[in-house]
Amino acid sequence: MPGSPVPGRPVRDSGGHEQSTEAPASPGSLPPAPASALACSTRAPGLRGAGETLAFVESPVQLLNVLEWSYADARRAAPEQAGSDGGDRATGDLAASPHLGTVTVVVLSPNDPMTRGQLRRMAELARDEGFTVRWEDARGGAAAPFQTIGALTPALRRARRIVIGDPFSRYVQLLLTLTGARDLVVVDDGTATMEFVSQLARGERLVRWHRTGRGRGARDAVFAPVSAVARRRLTPREGRRTVEVFSSMPVEPPAGVTVTANDFAWTRARFGPPALTRGADLVGTSLAETGVVDLDRYIDAVRSLARTHGATRYFAHRREGTDKLKRLSEAAGLEIVRPDLPLELIARRGPIGRTVLSFPSTVVHTLPLALAGTEVKVAVCDIDPAWLTDTASPRAHGFLSGVTGTARDVHRLPSVPVAAP
């Protein structure tokens, strides 16, 4: 396929196939999906199992963690099927779960083509595991949100349990105001889960950690009542509502909130162990895209890490753009890889480097779990305060330091020296 950012250095997907770095102009320009993926993205007239559990996801990682939660929940609900006798614990087969037909995953698809592509692959995988998956083009025009919410409202009213991946999402917050479900589950959406639990414990409004906090705009003010209702929905009430956080992050739950550890048991049972390469791999982040880290310093840091540790591949974050990846390839001599699935699955399937380098991000917590029992070493490089932009949130450095400091089974690297921008 055309579109390599640097002659001789093609961008490849995680299967090693050369691909274009230009984001497709529309979902229709994505590579053709297999029949099973197309089937799960067809809007059904009703929601099978809507009276039981509805799961709302907006990213590939959220959908992966819904699969992990379902696997863990099935083992809790039917421990006799989770032993060493070849049941679903041994095989990672979610289709063996007796309650699986009561779970419907609703994909609230974003507009970003790279995210949509990964979501389509994850939706295909979920359907292969026996899930009912409903794809909603929830942002496909001005009328799309109203159509989506209108279509989902009856199911929201009937649902006994709601599973969400991003409590900061305005879309999800609005949906929460329409449900009276007795049980709510929050699955990991990365490091944001740590901030969500902290804000819930302090009774604060839900604000993403990288937001500057320099005043709220008109949209924030208009949406504030909805956000307040959603936060109350996410607060447990004895005898009326339970709240569970399913997380691989180190979190201290507020009173009444149950925390269940996500150890990526399904991923480890379903895939791997991976073949290991001789070199190191580097994991990209969206810290520059969110305005936290200066782009030039980030590129210098990647170049320094690659040279020091002999990294040859760079696994791009789905939010990283073509121009940035082209600069990284030229500056650091790295092969750019666009993963077509969450990195936990890519790493577990392999091949993967014996050392995986990362900046503070979700993967420093999740990869050691997904790669447990292998010889892969995960190393994290601290963020120097000098790398932060002038517009970065005052909480940014403290939060990123906490992400690194609380990671288990990782090797910590000092921040690398980089030139001033």
Side-chain angles (χ1 to χ4, degrees):
M1 297 175 65
S4 300
V6 182
R9 294 201 182 277
V11 171
R12 301 185 184 276
D13 64 20
S14 51
H17 305 293
E18 187 174 332
Q19 67 168 28
S20 171
T21 57
E22 296 296 336
S26 67
S29 61
L30 289 167
S36 58
L38 295 176
C40 73
S41 63
T42 300
R43 179 173 296 186
L47 295 179
R48 180 166 65 90
E52 297 295 331
T53 300
L54 279 177
F56 294 98
V57 300
E58 298 174 274
S59 77
V61 168
Q62 292 173 29
L63 184 42
L64 169 60
N65 287 318
V66 168
L67 300 186
E68 291 287 353
W69 168 80
S70 295
Y71 186 59
D73 193 55
R75 289 189 295 169
R76 287 180 293 179
E80 69 277 4
Q81 296 192 19
S84 58
D85 59 352
D88 77 358
R89 181 185 185 126
T91 65
D93 183 9
L94 278 168
S97 303
H99 73 312
L100 186 60
T102 67
V103 179
T104 297
V105 178
V106 180
V107 179
L108 302 172
S109 177
N111 290 327
D112 173 61
M114 294 300 177
T115 304
R116 288 173 68 97
Q118 284 195 15
L119 268 170
R120 289 188 187 279
R121 287 296 311 278
M122 282 304 303
E124 174 192 352
L125 183 56
R127 186 175 181 275
D128 288 344
E129 293 295 314
F131 282 81
T132 299
V133 181
R134 173 166 169 164
W135 185 283
E136 291 285 346
D137 280 313
R139 296 168 174 84
F146 301 100
Q147 295 170 349
T148 298
I149 292 170
L152 293 174
T153 295
L156 281 163
R157 302 289 191 195
R158 295 192 304 268
R160 179 183 64 84
R161 178 164 53 182
I162 299 291
V163 182
I164 65 172
D166 183 6
F168 295 103
S169 164
R170 286 178 173 174
Y171 222 125
V172 167
Q173 289 179 7
L174 184 56
L175 293 174
L176 286 177
T177 67
L178 303 175
T179 182
R182 292 180 56 87
D183 302 318
L184 293 173
V185 181
V186 179
V187 301
D188 267 337
D189 184 37
T191 53
T193 308
M194 300 166 66
E195 189 73 353
F196 160 68
V197 172
S198 297
Q199 291 177 8
L200 191 66
R202 296 191 297 263
E204 299 174 353
R205 66 188 182 96
L206 301 179
V207 181
R208 299 186 192 276
W209 66 267
H210 55 77
R211 294 279 295 273
T212 62
R214 298 176 181 175
R216 291 190 290 173
R219 293 180 63 186
D220 290 321
V222 169
F223 201 79
V226 173
S227 183
V229 171
R231 185 172 57 80
R232 288 197 295 271
R233 290 279 194 276
L234 291 164
T235 303
R237 298 183 65 181
E238 187 174 357
R240 298 185 62 181
R241 182 167 54 249
T242 68
V243 177
E244 175 188 357
V245 175
F246 181 73
S247 177
S248 58
M249 304 293 159
V251 294
E252 293 292 335
V257 174
T258 300
V259 173
T260 304
N262 177 10
D263 61 359
F264 286 86
W266 174 76
T267 295
R268 287 184 285 109
R270 185 71 167 77
F271 301 103
L276 305 184
T277 66
R278 294 182 179 180
D281 290 326
L282 208 153
V283 179
T285 77
S286 60
L287 290 173
E289 284 70 21
T290 53
V292 175
V293 170
D294 178 80
L295 176 58
D296 291 331
R297 295 198 174 191
Y298 179 82
I299 291 173
D300 283 346
V302 168
R303 177 172 53 203
S304 179
L305 278 178
R307 290 176 177 174
T308 301
H309 298 276
T312 58
R313 295 189 299 176
Y314 180 93
F315 287 94
H317 189 280
R318 56 190 171 82
R319 292 180 182 152
E320 292 185 280
T322 304
D323 290 343
K324 175 188 177 183
L325 295 176
K326 180 179 178 180
R327 288 185 61 187
L328 283 170
S329 180
E330 293 172 340
L334 292 164
E335 175 188 354
I336 306 298
V337 179
R338 281 279 197 188
D340 57 350
L341 289 168
L343 193 61
E344 293 79 9
L345 297 184
I346 296 297
R348 187 69 195 179
R349 294 194 311 175
I352 192 70
R354 293 183 180 273
T355 300
V356 178
L357 304 163
S358 175
F359 296 101
S361 69
T362 303
V363 297
V364 304
H365 293 270
T366 60
L367 280 184
L369 296 171
L371 293 169
T374 71
E375 299 178 6
V376 178
K377 179 179 72 175
V378 179
V380 56
C381 177
D382 286 324
I383 297 292
D384 191 302
W387 301 359
L388 302 180
T389 65
D390 293 337
T391 57
S393 165
R395 298 180 296 166
H397 186 257
F399 181 80
L400 292 171
S401 296
V403 170
T404 301
T406 56
R408 300 179 292 271
D409 300 322
V410 299
H411 178 64
R412 293 191 63 174
L413 305 173
S415 59
V416 296
V418 298

